[in-house]
Coordinates of all heavy atoms in Angstrom, one line a residue:
Y235 N -8.4 -23.7 -0.3 CA -7.1 -23.2 0.2 C -6.0 -23.0 -0.9 O -5.1 -22.2 -0.6 CB -6.5 -24.3 1.2 CG -7.4 -24.7 2.2 CD1 -7.9 -26.0 2.3 CD2 -7.9 -23.8 3.2 CE1 -8.8 -26.4 3.3 CE2 -8.8 -24.2 4.2 CZ -9.2 -25.5 4.2 OH -10.1 -25.9 5.2
E236 N -6.1 -23.6 -2.0 CA -4.9 -23.5 -2.9 C -5.2 -22.7 -4.2 O -4.3 -22.6 -5.0 CB -4.5 -25.0 -3.3 CG -4.0 -25.8 -2.1 CD -3.7 -27.2 -2.5 OE1 -3.6 -27.5 -3.7 OE2 -3.4 -28.0 -1.6
R237 N -6.4 -22.2 -4.5 CA -6.7 -21.5 -5.7 C -5.8 -20.2 -5.7 O -5.6 -19.6 -4.6 CB -8.1 -21.0 -5.8 CG -9.1 -22.1 -6.1 CD -10.5 -21.6 -6.4 NE -10.5 -20.8 -7.6 CZ -10.9 -21.4 -8.8 NH1 -11.3 -22.6 -8.8 NH2 -10.8 -20.7 -9.9
P238 N -5.2 -19.8 -6.8 CA -4.4 -18.6 -6.9 C -5.2 -17.4 -6.5 O -6.5 -17.3 -6.7 CB -4.1 -18.5 -8.4 CG -4.3 -19.9 -8.9 CD -5.4 -20.5 -8.1
N239 N -4.6 -16.5 -5.8 CA -5.2 -15.3 -5.3 C -4.3 -14.1 -5.4 O -3.1 -14.3 -5.7 CB -5.8 -15.5 -3.9 CG -6.9 -14.6 -3.5 OD1 -7.3 -13.8 -4.4 ND2 -7.4 -14.7 -2.4
G240 N -4.7 -13.0 -5.0 CA -3.8 -11.8 -5.0 C -4.3 -10.8 -4.0 O -5.3 -11.0 -3.3
A241 N -3.6 -9.7 -3.9 CA -4.0 -8.6 -3.0 C -5.3 -8.0 -3.4 O -5.6 -7.9 -4.6 CB -2.9 -7.5 -2.9
Y242 N -6.1 -7.6 -2.4 CA -7.5 -7.1 -2.7 C -7.3 -5.8 -3.5 O -6.5 -4.9 -3.2 CB -8.3 -6.8 -1.5 CG -9.6 -6.1 -1.7 CD1 -10.6 -6.8 -2.3 CD2 -9.7 -4.8 -1.4 CE1 -11.8 -6.2 -2.5 CE2 -10.9 -4.1 -1.7 CZ -12.0 -4.9 -2.2 OH -13.2 -4.2 -2.5
S243 N -8.2 -5.7 -4.6 CA -8.2 -4.5 -5.4 C -9.7 -4.2 -5.6 O -10.4 -5.1 -6.2 CB -7.5 -4.7 -6.7 OG -7.9 -3.7 -7.7
F244 N -10.2 -3.1 -5.2 CA -11.6 -2.7 -5.4 C -12.0 -2.8 -6.9 O -13.1 -3.3 -7.2 CB -11.9 -1.3 -4.8 CG -13.3 -0.9 -5.1 CD1 -14.4 -1.4 -4.3 CD2 -13.6 0.0 -6.1 CE1 -15.7 -1.0 -4.5 CE2 -14.9 0.4 -6.3 CZ -16.0 -0.1 -5.6
K246 N -10.6 -4.5 -9.4 CA -10.6 -5.8 -10.0 C -11.6 -6.8 -9.3 O -12.1 -7.7 -10.0 CB -9.2 -6.4 -9.9 CG -8.1 -5.7 -10.8 CD -6.8 -6.3 -10.6 CE -5.7 -5.6 -11.5 NZ -4.4 -6.3 -11.3
Y247 N -11.8 -6.6 -8.1 CA -12.6 -7.6 -7.3 C -14.0 -7.1 -7.2 O -14.9 -7.7 -7.8 CB -12.0 -7.8 -5.9 CG -10.7 -8.7 -6.0 CD1 -9.9 -8.7 -7.1 CD2 -10.3 -9.4 -4.8 CE1 -8.7 -9.5 -7.1 CE2 -9.1 -10.1 -4.8 CZ -8.4 -10.2 -6.0 OH -7.2 -10.9 -6.0
S297 N -17.7 -12.7 -1.3 CA -16.5 -13.3 -1.9 C -15.6 -12.3 -2.6 O -14.3 -12.5 -2.6 CB -16.8 -14.5 -2.8 OG -17.6 -15.4 -2.1
S298 N -16.1 -11.3 -3.2 CA -15.4 -10.3 -4.0 C -14.4 -9.5 -3.1 O -13.5 -8.9 -3.6 CB -16.3 -9.3 -4.7 OG -16.9 -8.4 -3.8
F299 N -14.5 -9.6 -1.8 CA -13.6 -8.9 -0.9 C -12.4 -9.8 -0.6 O -11.4 -9.3 0.0 CB -14.3 -8.5 0.4 CG -15.2 -7.4 0.2 CD1 -16.6 -7.7 0.1 CD2 -14.8 -6.1 0.2 CE1 -17.5 -6.7 -0.1 CE2 -15.8 -5.0 0.0 CZ -17.1 -5.3 -0.1
N300 N -12.4 -11.0 -1.1 CA -11.3 -12.0 -0.9 C -10.7 -12.4 -2.2 O -9.5 -12.7 -2.2 CB -11.8 -13.2 -0.1 CG -10.8 -14.2 0.0 OD1 -10.8 -15.3 -0.6 ND2 -9.9 -14.0 1.0
R301 N -11.4 -12.5 -3.3 CA -10.9 -13.0 -4.6 C -11.7 -12.4 -5.7 O -12.8 -11.9 -5.5 CB -10.9 -14.5 -4.6 CG -12.2 -15.1 -4.6 CD -12.1 -16.6 -4.7 NE -11.5 -17.2 -3.5 CZ -10.3 -17.8 -3.5 NH1 -9.6 -17.9 -4.7 NH2 -9.7 -18.3 -2.4
R302 N -11.2 -12.5 -6.9 CA -11.9 -12.1 -8.1 C -13.0 -13.1 -8.5 O -12.7 -14.3 -8.6 CB -10.9 -11.9 -9.3 CG -11.5 -11.4 -10.6 CD -10.5 -11.1 -11.6 NE -10.0 -12.4 -12.1 CZ -10.5 -13.1 -13.1 NH1 -11.6 -12.7 -13.7 NH2 -9.9 -14.2 -13.5
V303 N -14.2 -12.6 -8.6 CA -15.3 -13.4 -8.9 C -15.4 -13.5 -10.5 O -15.6 -12.5 -11.1 CB -16.6 -12.8 -8.3 CG1 -17.8 -13.7 -8.8 CG2 -16.5 -12.8 -6.8
D509 N 4.7 -15.2 -0.8 CA 4.1 -14.1 0.0 C 2.7 -14.5 0.6 O 2.4 -15.7 0.6 CB 3.9 -12.8 -0.9 CG 2.9 -13.1 -2.0 OD1 2.1 -14.1 -2.0 OD2 2.9 -12.3 -3.0
N510 N 2.0 -13.6 1.2 CA 0.8 -14.0 1.9 C -0.3 -14.5 0.9 O -1.3 -15.0 1.4 CB 0.2 -12.8 2.7 CG 1.1 -12.4 3.8 OD1 1.6 -13.3 4.6 ND2 1.3 -11.1 4.1
Y511 N -0.1 -14.3 -0.4 CA -1.1 -14.8 -1.4 C -0.6 -16.0 -2.1 O -1.1 -16.4 -3.1 CB -1.4 -13.7 -2.4 CG -1.9 -12.4 -1.7 CD1 -1.1 -11.4 -1.5 CD2 -3.2 -12.4 -1.2 CE1 -1.5 -10.2 -0.8 CE2 -3.7 -11.3 -0.5 CZ -2.8 -10.2 -0.3 OH -3.3 -9.1 0.3
K512 N 0.5 -16.6 -1.5 CA 1.1 -17.9 -2.0 C 1.7 -17.8 -3.4 O 1.7 -18.7 -4.1 CB 0.0 -19.0 -1.9 CG -0.5 -19.3 -0.5 CD -1.5 -20.4 -0.4 CE -2.0 -20.5 1.0 NZ -3.1 -21.5 1.1
I513 N 2.2 -16.6 -3.7 CA 2.9 -16.3 -4.9 C 4.4 -16.5 -4.7 O 4.9 -15.9 -3.8 CB 2.6 -14.9 -5.5 CG1 1.1 -14.8 -5.7 CG2 3.4 -14.6 -6.7 CD1 0.7 -13.4 -6.1
K515 N 8.2 -16.2 -4.4 CA 9.1 -15.0 -4.5 C 10.6 -15.3 -4.5 O 11.4 -14.6 -5.1 CB 8.8 -14.1 -3.2 CG 7.5 -13.5 -3.2 CD 7.3 -12.5 -4.3 CE 5.9 -11.9 -4.3 NZ 5.7 -11.0 -5.5

Side-chain angles (χ1 to χ4, degrees):
Y235 308 115
E236 298 179 9
R237 287 188 71 96
N239 204 359
Y242 174 74
S243 165
F244 175 77
K246 292 181 180 179
Y247 286 24
S297 298
S298 73
F299 291 96
N300 175 256
R301 65 179 65 249
R302 185 175 67 86
V303 176
D509 63 17
N510 291 318
Y511 304 101
K512 299 178 183 176
I513 297 174
K515 293 299 180 181

